[in-house]
Amino acid sequence: MTSDHRLDLEQHQKEALEQIAAAPDARALEELRIRFTGRKAPLSDELSRLGTLPPEKRREAGQRANTVKRAINEALDKRVQELRVGGGALAGAEAIDLTFPGTPPRRGHLHPVSLVMRDMEDIFRGLGYDVARGPEVDTDYYSFEALNIPKGHPARDGFDTFFIADQETGEPDFTAETNLVLRPHTSPMQIRVMEQQPPPIKAVFPGKVFRRDSDATHVPMFHQLEGLAVDEGITVADLRGTLEYFARAMFGEERKIRLRPDHFPFTEPSLEVHVSCLVCDGKGCGLCRQSGWIEILGAGMVHPNVLRFGGIDPDRYRGFAFGMGIDRIAMLKYGIDDMRAMFENDVRFVRQF
Protein backbone atom coordinates (compact mmCIF):
# COMPACT_ATOMS: atom_id res chain seq x y z
CA MET A 1 0.00 0.00 0.00
CA THR A 2 1.52 3.34 -1.07
CA SER A 3 2.01 6.57 0.86
CA ASP A 4 -0.72 8.07 -1.30
CA HIS A 5 -3.15 5.51 0.14
CA ARG A 6 -2.18 6.54 3.68
CA LEU A 7 -2.86 10.14 2.80
CA ASP A 8 -6.32 9.18 1.51
CA LEU A 9 -7.19 7.46 4.80
CA GLU A 10 -6.00 10.40 6.85
CA GLN A 11 -7.96 12.81 4.66
CA HIS A 12 -11.04 10.58 4.94
CA GLN A 13 -10.78 10.60 8.74
CA LYS A 14 -10.30 14.37 8.90
CA GLU A 15 -13.29 15.05 6.68
CA ALA A 16 -15.47 12.63 8.64
CA LEU A 17 -14.61 14.08 12.05
CA GLU A 18 -15.24 17.65 10.90
CA GLN A 19 -18.66 16.86 9.45
CA ILE A 20 -19.71 14.72 12.43
CA ALA A 21 -18.79 17.48 14.88
CA ALA A 22 -20.96 19.92 12.90
CA ALA A 23 -24.01 17.61 12.56
CA PRO A 24 -27.04 19.64 13.71
CA ASP A 25 -29.50 16.84 14.46
CA ALA A 26 -30.13 13.10 14.60
CA ARG A 27 -31.13 12.79 10.95
CA ALA A 28 -27.94 14.47 9.72
CA LEU A 29 -25.87 12.30 12.06
CA GLU A 30 -27.46 9.13 10.71
CA GLU A 31 -26.72 10.19 7.14
CA LEU A 32 -23.06 10.74 8.09
CA ARG A 33 -22.91 7.34 9.75
CA ILE A 34 -24.07 5.66 6.55
CA ARG A 35 -21.76 7.79 4.40
CA PHE A 36 -18.58 7.11 6.39
CA THR A 37 -19.13 3.63 7.93
CA GLY A 38 -21.91 2.08 5.85
CA ARG A 39 -21.56 -0.99 3.68
CA LYS A 40 -20.91 1.13 0.57
CA ALA A 41 -18.66 3.70 2.29
CA PRO A 42 -15.09 4.27 0.89
CA LEU A 43 -13.65 2.97 4.16
CA SER A 44 -15.57 -0.28 3.79
CA ASP A 45 -14.17 -0.66 0.27
CA GLU A 46 -10.63 -0.19 1.57
CA LEU A 47 -11.16 -2.85 4.21
CA SER A 48 -12.53 -5.28 1.64
CA ARG A 49 -9.43 -4.81 -0.56
CA LEU A 50 -6.99 -5.81 2.20
CA GLY A 51 -7.08 -9.39 1.03
CA THR A 52 -5.46 -8.44 -2.29
CA LEU A 53 -2.34 -7.00 -0.65
CA PRO A 54 0.86 -8.97 -0.15
CA PRO A 55 0.99 -10.61 3.30
CA GLU A 56 3.84 -8.42 4.51
CA LYS A 57 1.79 -5.22 3.89
CA ARG A 58 -1.66 -6.53 4.80
CA ARG A 59 -1.29 -6.26 8.60
CA GLU A 60 0.02 -2.68 8.59
CA ALA A 61 -2.67 -1.51 6.16
CA GLY A 62 -5.41 -3.23 8.17
CA GLN A 63 -4.29 -1.57 11.38
CA ARG A 64 -4.38 1.90 9.78
CA ALA A 65 -7.85 1.32 8.28
CA ASN A 66 -9.28 -0.01 11.56
CA THR A 67 -7.79 2.94 13.46
CA VAL A 68 -9.64 5.33 11.15
CA LYS A 69 -12.90 3.37 11.48
CA ARG A 70 -12.60 3.34 15.27
CA ALA A 71 -12.00 7.10 15.37
CA ILE A 72 -15.10 7.76 13.22
CA ASN A 73 -17.32 5.52 15.38
CA GLU A 74 -16.11 7.19 18.56
CA ALA A 75 -16.87 10.60 17.05
CA LEU A 76 -20.38 9.44 16.13
CA ASP A 77 -21.04 8.18 19.67
CA LYS A 78 -19.71 11.37 21.18
CA ARG A 79 -21.91 13.54 18.96
CA VAL A 80 -24.97 11.47 19.89
CA GLN A 81 -24.37 12.22 23.56
CA GLU A 82 -23.76 15.90 22.85
CA LEU A 83 -27.04 16.26 21.01
CA ARG A 84 -28.89 14.40 23.75
CA VAL A 85 -27.49 16.52 26.57
CA GLY A 86 -27.76 19.73 24.58
CA GLY A 87 -31.51 19.34 24.12
CA GLY A 88 -31.31 19.24 20.34
CA ALA A 89 -33.51 17.37 17.91
CA LEU A 90 -32.18 13.99 19.10
CA ALA A 91 -33.13 14.77 22.69
CA GLY A 92 -36.60 15.78 21.56
CA ALA A 93 -37.04 12.60 19.54
CA GLU A 94 -36.05 10.38 22.44
CA ALA A 95 -37.62 12.38 25.26
CA ILE A 96 -39.94 10.58 27.72
CA ASP A 97 -43.21 12.27 28.55
CA LEU A 98 -43.66 11.40 32.23
CA THR A 99 -47.31 12.51 32.12
CA PHE A 100 -48.22 10.01 29.38
CA PRO A 101 -50.07 6.92 30.69
CA GLY A 102 -47.88 3.83 30.70
CA THR A 103 -48.76 0.34 29.49
CA PRO A 104 -49.87 -1.62 32.56
CA PRO A 105 -48.33 -5.09 32.92
CA ARG A 106 -50.69 -8.01 32.51
CA ARG A 107 -51.74 -9.48 35.83
CA GLY A 108 -52.04 -13.16 36.45
CA HIS A 109 -55.46 -14.79 36.76
CA LEU A 110 -56.57 -17.79 38.77
CA HIS A 111 -57.61 -20.87 36.81
CA PRO A 112 -61.35 -21.68 36.96
CA VAL A 113 -60.57 -24.90 38.84
CA SER A 114 -58.62 -22.92 41.44
CA LEU A 115 -61.47 -20.41 41.73
CA VAL A 116 -64.06 -23.13 42.30
CA MET A 117 -61.79 -25.03 44.71
CA ARG A 118 -61.42 -21.90 46.84
CA ASP A 119 -65.17 -21.31 46.76
CA MET A 120 -65.84 -24.89 47.87
CA GLU A 121 -63.31 -24.68 50.69
CA ASP A 122 -64.85 -21.41 51.90
CA ILE A 123 -68.36 -22.91 51.87
CA PHE A 124 -67.35 -25.86 54.03
CA ARG A 125 -65.19 -23.74 56.32
CA GLY A 126 -68.36 -21.76 56.97
CA LEU A 127 -69.96 -25.00 58.17
CA GLY A 128 -67.09 -25.66 60.57
CA TYR A 129 -65.11 -28.09 58.41
CA ASP A 130 -61.32 -28.23 58.46
CA VAL A 131 -59.41 -28.39 55.15
CA ALA A 132 -56.77 -31.13 54.99
CA ARG A 133 -54.44 -32.24 52.22
CA GLY A 134 -52.50 -35.45 51.82
CA PRO A 135 -49.98 -37.24 49.58
CA GLU A 136 -50.69 -37.61 45.88
CA VAL A 137 -48.66 -40.85 45.85
CA ASP A 138 -50.19 -43.23 48.38
CA THR A 139 -50.21 -46.90 49.29
CA ASP A 140 -52.62 -49.57 48.13
CA TYR A 141 -53.72 -49.90 51.77
CA TYR A 142 -54.95 -46.32 52.15
CA SER A 143 -56.27 -46.10 48.58
CA PHE A 144 -58.28 -49.34 48.61
CA GLU A 145 -57.87 -51.82 51.48
CA ALA A 146 -58.78 -49.44 54.31
CA LEU A 147 -61.74 -48.16 52.25
CA ASN A 148 -63.37 -51.60 52.21
CA ILE A 149 -62.10 -52.40 48.69
CA PRO A 150 -59.99 -55.55 49.16
CA LYS A 151 -57.82 -57.09 46.47
CA GLY A 152 -59.89 -58.68 43.73
CA HIS A 153 -62.93 -56.53 44.47
CA PRO A 154 -64.65 -55.56 41.16
CA ALA A 155 -64.95 -51.94 42.34
CA ARG A 156 -61.22 -51.52 41.75
CA ASP A 157 -61.78 -51.81 37.99
CA GLY A 158 -63.65 -48.50 37.93
CA PHE A 159 -60.70 -46.52 39.28
CA ASP A 160 -58.30 -47.15 36.31
CA THR A 161 -55.37 -46.75 38.68
CA PHE A 162 -51.79 -45.78 37.85
CA PHE A 163 -49.53 -48.20 39.74
CA ILE A 164 -45.91 -47.23 40.44
CA ALA A 165 -43.36 -49.89 39.53
CA ASP A 166 -41.05 -51.37 42.14
CA GLN A 167 -37.55 -49.90 41.82
CA GLU A 168 -35.90 -53.33 42.01
CA THR A 169 -38.16 -55.43 39.78
CA GLY A 170 -39.46 -52.68 37.47
CA GLU A 171 -43.01 -54.02 37.96
CA PRO A 172 -45.73 -53.17 40.50
CA ASP A 173 -46.43 -55.79 43.18
CA PHE A 174 -50.21 -56.01 43.15
CA THR A 175 -50.23 -58.27 46.20
CA ALA A 176 -48.39 -55.89 48.55
CA GLU A 177 -50.30 -53.52 50.81
CA THR A 178 -47.38 -51.09 50.58
CA ASN A 179 -47.59 -51.00 46.78
CA LEU A 180 -47.59 -47.35 45.66
CA VAL A 181 -50.20 -45.78 43.38
CA LEU A 182 -51.07 -42.34 42.10
CA ARG A 183 -54.16 -41.87 44.22
CA PRO A 184 -57.34 -42.37 42.17
CA HIS A 185 -59.41 -40.39 44.70
CA THR A 186 -58.84 -38.25 47.80
CA SER A 187 -60.64 -40.82 49.99
CA PRO A 188 -57.35 -42.06 51.57
CA MET A 189 -57.46 -38.87 53.63
CA GLN A 190 -60.58 -40.17 55.38
CA ILE A 191 -58.55 -42.97 56.98
CA ARG A 192 -55.55 -40.75 57.71
CA VAL A 193 -57.68 -38.15 59.51
CA MET A 194 -59.58 -40.78 61.52
CA GLU A 195 -56.25 -42.29 62.59
CA GLN A 196 -54.92 -38.92 63.71
CA GLN A 197 -57.84 -37.50 65.70
CA PRO A 198 -60.82 -38.81 67.65
CA PRO A 199 -64.39 -37.78 66.85
CA PRO A 200 -66.01 -35.35 66.38
CA ILE A 201 -64.45 -35.00 62.93
CA LYS A 202 -65.50 -32.55 60.20
CA ALA A 203 -63.04 -32.14 57.33
CA VAL A 204 -62.85 -31.80 53.57
CA PHE A 205 -59.97 -33.00 51.39
CA PRO A 206 -59.35 -31.17 48.09
CA GLY A 207 -56.59 -32.20 45.72
CA LYS A 208 -55.38 -33.81 42.51
CA VAL A 209 -56.26 -37.38 41.60
CA PHE A 210 -55.18 -39.59 38.71
CA ARG A 211 -56.93 -42.16 36.51
CA ARG A 212 -56.22 -43.70 33.11
CA ASP A 213 -59.10 -42.00 31.33
CA SER A 214 -59.40 -39.22 28.74
CA ASP A 215 -62.37 -37.82 26.80
CA ALA A 216 -64.60 -34.71 26.80
CA THR A 217 -65.60 -35.26 30.44
CA HIS A 218 -62.54 -37.12 31.77
CA VAL A 219 -58.82 -36.36 31.92
CA PRO A 220 -55.95 -38.41 33.41
CA MET A 221 -55.33 -35.80 36.12
CA PHE A 222 -58.26 -34.02 37.70
CA HIS A 223 -59.38 -32.63 41.07
CA GLN A 224 -61.67 -33.92 43.76
CA LEU A 225 -63.04 -32.66 47.04
CA GLU A 226 -64.17 -35.23 49.56
CA GLY A 227 -65.81 -34.57 52.89
CA LEU A 228 -66.09 -36.55 56.11
CA ALA A 229 -68.12 -36.01 59.26
CA VAL A 230 -67.99 -38.47 62.19
CA ASP A 231 -69.76 -38.05 65.52
CA GLU A 232 -72.42 -39.60 67.71
CA GLY A 233 -75.95 -39.59 66.34
CA ILE A 234 -75.19 -38.50 62.75
CA THR A 235 -77.92 -39.44 60.27
CA VAL A 236 -78.73 -39.21 56.56
CA ALA A 237 -80.70 -36.06 57.36
CA ASP A 238 -77.44 -34.36 58.40
CA LEU A 239 -75.88 -35.43 55.11
CA ARG A 240 -78.80 -34.11 53.08
CA GLY A 241 -78.83 -30.77 54.89
CA THR A 242 -75.08 -30.31 54.35
CA LEU A 243 -75.23 -31.07 50.64
CA GLU A 244 -78.34 -28.94 50.08
CA TYR A 245 -76.58 -26.01 51.73
CA PHE A 246 -73.53 -26.59 49.51
CA ALA A 247 -75.60 -26.75 46.30
CA ARG A 248 -77.39 -23.49 47.07
CA ALA A 249 -74.18 -21.73 48.11
CA MET A 250 -72.40 -22.85 44.94
CA PHE A 251 -75.14 -22.64 42.30
CA GLY A 252 -77.76 -20.26 43.71
CA GLU A 253 -80.48 -20.17 46.39
CA GLU A 254 -83.10 -21.52 43.97
CA ARG A 255 -81.29 -24.86 43.55
CA LYS A 256 -82.81 -28.10 44.82
CA ILE A 257 -81.21 -31.51 45.30
CA ARG A 258 -82.44 -35.07 45.18
CA LEU A 259 -80.87 -38.26 46.53
CA ARG A 260 -81.03 -41.58 44.70
CA PRO A 261 -79.75 -45.03 45.75
CA ASP A 262 -76.29 -46.03 44.54
CA HIS A 263 -73.47 -48.28 45.67
CA PHE A 264 -69.96 -47.45 46.87
CA PRO A 265 -67.89 -49.98 48.83
CA PHE A 266 -66.95 -47.42 51.49
CA THR A 267 -70.49 -46.19 52.33
CA GLU A 268 -73.72 -47.91 53.40
CA PRO A 269 -76.25 -46.77 52.39
CA SER A 270 -74.81 -45.05 49.31
CA LEU A 271 -76.41 -42.21 47.40
CA GLU A 272 -75.94 -40.26 44.20
CA VAL A 273 -76.79 -36.58 44.52
CA HIS A 274 -78.43 -34.53 41.78
CA VAL A 275 -78.99 -30.78 41.57
CA SER A 276 -81.81 -29.11 39.66
CA CYS A 277 -80.59 -28.04 36.22
CA LEU A 278 -78.83 -24.69 36.14
CA VAL A 279 -80.15 -23.92 32.63
CA CYS A 280 -83.78 -24.99 32.63
CA ASP A 281 -84.38 -24.95 36.41
CA GLY A 282 -85.78 -28.47 36.33
CA LYS A 283 -88.01 -28.14 33.27
CA GLY A 284 -85.82 -30.26 30.95
CA CYS A 285 -83.19 -29.27 28.38
CA GLY A 286 -80.20 -30.59 26.47
CA LEU A 287 -77.78 -30.11 29.37
CA CYS A 288 -79.81 -32.28 31.76
CA ARG A 289 -80.98 -34.62 28.95
CA GLN A 290 -84.58 -33.52 29.52
CA SER A 291 -84.56 -34.90 33.07
CA GLY A 292 -84.36 -31.57 34.90
CA TRP A 293 -81.54 -32.91 37.11
CA ILE A 294 -77.71 -33.11 36.92
CA GLU A 295 -75.64 -35.53 38.96
CA ILE A 296 -72.91 -33.69 40.87
CA LEU A 297 -71.54 -36.09 43.49
CA GLY A 298 -71.67 -39.38 45.35
CA ALA A 299 -72.24 -39.71 49.07
CA GLY A 300 -73.41 -42.00 51.85
CA MET A 301 -73.05 -43.07 55.44
CA VAL A 302 -69.54 -44.26 56.24
CA HIS A 303 -69.34 -48.06 56.14
CA PRO A 304 -68.68 -49.62 59.59
CA ASN A 305 -65.59 -51.40 58.18
CA VAL A 306 -64.11 -48.06 57.13
CA LEU A 307 -64.67 -46.67 60.63
CA ARG A 308 -62.89 -49.71 62.06
CA PHE A 309 -59.93 -49.23 59.71
CA GLY A 310 -59.76 -45.64 60.97
CA GLY A 311 -59.68 -46.81 64.58
CA ILE A 312 -63.22 -45.64 65.42
CA ASP A 313 -65.89 -47.76 67.14
CA PRO A 314 -68.86 -48.06 64.69
CA ASP A 315 -71.17 -49.09 67.57
CA ARG A 316 -70.73 -45.64 69.13
CA TYR A 317 -70.05 -43.34 66.20
CA ARG A 318 -71.57 -42.85 62.78
CA GLY A 319 -70.49 -40.65 59.94
CA PHE A 320 -71.21 -39.53 56.42
CA ALA A 321 -68.88 -38.94 53.49
CA PHE A 322 -69.23 -37.33 50.10
CA GLY A 323 -67.01 -36.78 47.08
CA MET A 324 -67.26 -34.62 43.99
CA GLY A 325 -65.14 -33.63 41.01
CA ILE A 326 -64.03 -30.01 41.33
CA ASP A 327 -63.48 -29.84 37.57
CA ARG A 328 -67.05 -30.99 36.92
CA ILE A 329 -68.42 -28.40 39.34
CA ALA A 330 -66.37 -25.75 37.48
CA MET A 331 -67.80 -26.95 34.14
CA LEU A 332 -71.35 -26.58 35.46
CA LYS A 333 -70.73 -23.25 37.16
CA TYR A 334 -69.07 -21.63 34.12
CA GLY A 335 -70.83 -23.49 31.27
CA ILE A 336 -67.72 -25.30 29.98
CA ASP A 337 -68.63 -28.19 27.66
CA ASP A 338 -65.23 -29.94 27.36
CA MET A 339 -63.07 -30.64 30.41
CA ARG A 340 -59.93 -30.86 28.27
CA ALA A 341 -60.16 -27.11 27.56
CA MET A 342 -59.21 -26.46 31.18
CA PHE A 343 -55.82 -28.14 30.77
CA GLU A 344 -54.61 -26.84 27.39
CA ASN A 345 -52.55 -23.94 28.84
CA ASP A 346 -54.36 -21.32 26.73
CA VAL A 347 -54.31 -18.02 28.65
CA ARG A 348 -57.21 -16.74 26.54
CA PHE A 349 -59.37 -19.43 28.09
CA VAL A 350 -58.29 -18.59 31.65
CA ARG A 351 -58.91 -14.84 31.21
CA GLN A 352 -62.64 -15.46 30.64
CA PHE A 353 -63.27 -16.25 34.28
Side-chain angles (χ1 to χ4, degrees):
M1 191 174 283
T2 66
S3 59
D4 290 339
H5 186 271
R6 182 189 299 183
L7 182 62
D8 290 343
L9 282 175
E10 292 174 350
Q11 183 62 34
H12 187 75
Q13 177 180 339
K14 181 180 178 182
E15 180 183 352
L17 297 184
E18 290 176 351
Q19 295 187 31
I20 290 171
D25 52 39
R27 178 177 295 180
L29 198 60
E30 177 63 15
E31 292 175 353
L32 291 174
R33 185 193 67 77
I34 295 172
R35 175 180 171 187
F36 290 109
T37 65
R39 188 166 51 87
K40 298 181 179 181
L43 184 59
S44 298
D45 291 338
E46 291 296 330
L47 288 169
S48 66
R49 284 198 290 267
L50 291 176
T52 63
L53 296 176
E56 64 273 11
K57 295 183 178 181
R58 190 179 305 157
R59 181 176 180 180
E60 180 184 357
Q63 288 178 344
R64 289 200 302 269
N66 283 320
T67 298
V68 172
K69 184 176 181 179
R70 191 180 306 112
I72 294 174
N73 284 328
E74 290 175 355
L76 288 166
D77 293 340
K78 180 181 178 182
R79 187 56 180 160
V80 166
Q81 295 301 322
E82 291 174 349
L83 290 172
R84 210 176 258 133
V85 173
L90 185 62
E94 297 185 357
I96 298 175
D97 184 356
L98 298 180
T99 65
F100 193 80
T103 302
R106 284 183 175 175
R107 300 180 61 186
H109 194 293
L110 288 175
H111 193 278
V113 171
S114 299
L115 291 171
V116 169
M117 185 184 297
R118 292 189 178 190
D119 289 344
M120 294 169 74
E121 292 176 8
D122 289 343
I123 290 170
F124 286 106
R125 280 196 181 101
L127 292 173
Y129 283 71
D130 295 324
V131 177
R133 290 176 169 81
E136 295 176 4
V137 177
D138 215 328
T139 63
D140 181 278
Y141 172 78
Y142 282 107
S143 299
F144 296 110
E145 293 283 338
L147 295 171
N148 203 36
I149 312 177
K151 292 177 179 63
H153 196 291
R156 289 199 178 204
D157 295 340
F159 287 97
D160 295 322
T161 309
F162 289 101
F163 286 84
I164 297 178
D166 185 271
Q167 292 185 355
E168 295 182 1
T169 65
E171 295 291 337
D173 183 0
F174 297 105
T175 64
E177 290 185 353
T178 56
N179 191 46
L180 296 178
V181 301
L182 296 181
R183 64 180 183 186
H185 47 187
T186 54
S187 301
M189 282 301 297
Q190 294 185 30
I191 304 299
R192 292 183 178 276
V193 168
M194 285 191 285
E195 289 178 339
Q196 294 168 5
Q197 72 177 81
I201 298 171
K202 291 174 70 177
V204 291
F205 321 115
K208 296 176 183 176
V209 296
F210 308 85
R211 297 185 190 178
R212 297 172 57 250
D213 203 356
S214 181
D215 56 40
T217 57
H218 301 86
V219 287
M221 185 282 293
F222 54 104
H223 303 80
Q224 278 189 346
L225 181 139
E226 299 211 13
L228 173 69
V230 179
D231 202 352
E232 296 180 356
I234 285 183
T235 68
V236 174
D238 299 309
L239 171 62
R240 179 185 177 90
T242 299
L243 297 180
E244 191 164 45
Y245 177 86
F246 165 76
R248 290 176 176 175
M250 177 59 65
F251 299 116
E253 286 295 328
E254 69 280 7
R255 297 276 72 78
K256 300 176 182 178
I257 67 167
R258 73 175 183 184
L259 310 181
R260 306 187 74 178
D262 204 333
H263 171 72
F264 307 111
F266 31 81
T267 53
E268 181 60 40
S270 302
L271 305 163
E272 64 180 36
V273 182
H274 297 233
V275 65
S276 55
C277 183
L278 283 66
V279 175
C280 67
D281 199 24
K283 297 180 178 64
C285 66
L287 178 63
C288 61
R289 299 178 182 177
Q290 306 304 322
S291 69
W293 298 93
I294 300 173
E295 182 182 357
I296 58 170
L297 58 92
M301 302 301 292
V302 180
H303 197 289
N305 288 344
V306 176
L307 292 174
R308 291 189 184 97
F309 276 113
I312 293 176
D313 182 3
D315 294 327
R316 179 181 177 184
Y317 294 101
R318 301 186 67 186
F320 63 75
F322 54 87
M324 65 192 87
I326 299 174
D327 313 80
R328 176 164 173 75
I329 298 297
M331 291 176 69
L332 293 173
K333 183 176 179 67
Y334 294 119
I336 302 169
D337 58 4
D338 192 328
M339 185 180 292
R340 292 169 294 189
M342 294 192 287
F343 301 97
E344 291 178 347
N345 297 326
D346 190 336
V347 295
R348 296 172 299 178
F349 172 81
V350 175
R351 291 191 190 119
Q352 298 178 67
F353 305 99

